[in-house]
């Protein structure tokens, strides 16, 4: 499975329209200063913004993508995806506000800063909050050690990987500064969510349009067989 950008410009990317097959919502989470806003800026604009302005509340950007979606007959068809990526404030004082948005997330990018051990220690708390608030108990999550360009690390790649193994989530190291692995991390999470989506769609009865299995695909998903909410929790 592969995703590619449509020909739309960055400006038109942010315009929400109904010309899509799947609306996917990701959330960026983690302590203040881990680099969530820079990660998103790097993904959207391909640039690094070194200035630190703490995010207030929540914000989102929209990316329009085409995705090779496997059909039951083994053929792949291109599907239009509108990927909304929500950037949340890491500061504790905004927590009750940002938590209210967790339920809308279909995939979670949980970041810590490899140069700051405190942010690594917060990962378990973030994970508990995701599991409490998300649309289902077992949403798709990737653990990300950001700022892997730093020479002075406080957390090794091995420690990051060990924690991820323990938590049963994939681990990746990224750098918003150099761009290393940023797009790859988003695409990896997209593959995880789209696999869930495909399992859900292929489990649907073609006559009734209803899923035989509880799908847990997300809170607000439009597919070509189903046009409104499809949360099956
Ligand atoms: P809140 O909005 O408060 O939750 O913080 P945030 O997680 O959005 O952090 P932000 O993206 O604003 O980045 C915080 C600081 O880390 C900024 O000074 C960035 O320049 C720096 N930073 C972010 N990503 C990287 C990275 O990959 N490498 C390095 N070296 N610095 C980074
Ligand atoms: Mg921010």
């Amino acid at each position: 499975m592969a995703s590619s950008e449509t020909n739309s410009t960055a400006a038109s990317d942010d315009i929400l329209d109904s010309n899509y097959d799947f609306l996917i919502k990701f959330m960026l989470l983690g302590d203040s200063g881990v680099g969530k806003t820079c990660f998103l800026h790097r993904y959207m604009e391909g640039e690094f913004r070194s200035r630190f302005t703490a995010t207030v509340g929540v914000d989102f950007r929209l990316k329009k993508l085409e995705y090779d979606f496997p059909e039951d007959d083994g053929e792949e068809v291109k599907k239009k995806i509108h990927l909304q990526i929500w950037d949340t404030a890491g500061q504790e004082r905004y927590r009750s506000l940002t938590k209210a948005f967790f339920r809308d997330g279909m995939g979670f990018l949980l970041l810590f800063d490899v140069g700051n051990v405190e942010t690594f220690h917060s990962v378990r708390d973030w994970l508990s909050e995701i599991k409490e608030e998300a649309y289902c108990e077992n949403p798709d999550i990737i653990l990300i050690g950001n700022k892997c360009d730093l020479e002075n690390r406080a957390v090794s790649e091995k420690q990051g990987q060990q924690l991820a193994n323990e938590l049963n989530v994939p681990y990746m190291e990224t750098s918003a500064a150099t761009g290393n692995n940023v797009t790859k991390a988003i695409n990896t999470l997209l593959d995880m969510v789209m696999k869930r989506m495909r399992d859900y769609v292929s489990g649907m009865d073609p006559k009734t349009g209803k899923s035989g299995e509880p799908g847990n695909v997300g809170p607000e998903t439009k597919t070509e067989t189903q046009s409104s909410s499809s949360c099956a929790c």
Side-chain angles (χ1 to χ4, degrees), residues 31-38 49 52-57 87-90:
D31 283 0
S32 180
V34 298
K36 300 178 295 295
T37 301
C38 290
R49 216 173 42 183
F52 180 23
T53 310
T55 302
V56 174
D87 180 22
T88 62

Side-chain angles (χ1 to χ4, degrees), residues 6 8-20 22-23 44-45 60-65 80-85:
T6 60
S8 52
T9 62
S12 69
D13 258 356
D14 276 333
I15 299 169
L16 193 58
D17 57 52
S18 57
N19 184 22
Y20 59 82
F22 297 100
L23 173 62
M44 294 299 300
E45 316 296 346
F60 82 88
R61 298 292 308 272
L62 176 68
K63 188 87 164 177
K64 295 176 182 175
L65 300 168
K80 287 192 175 74
I81 291 186
H82 279 195
L83 177 61
Q84 274 186 11
I85 307 178

Side-chain angles (χ1 to χ4, degrees), residues 157-194:
E157 186 167 3
K158 192 173 169 198
Q159 286 173 302
Q161 187 64 63
Q162 272 172 351
L163 179 61
N165 292 348
E166 211 182 297
L167 302 174
N168 202 22
V169 298
Y171 178 62
M172 292 181 76
E173 297 213 330
T174 62
S175 168
T178 66
N180 189 28
N181 275 346
V182 168
T183 301
K184 192 173 174 190
I186 299 269
N187 286 343
T188 302
L189 186 59
L190 190 56
D191 281 344
M192 291 160 69
V193 170
M194 292 309 286

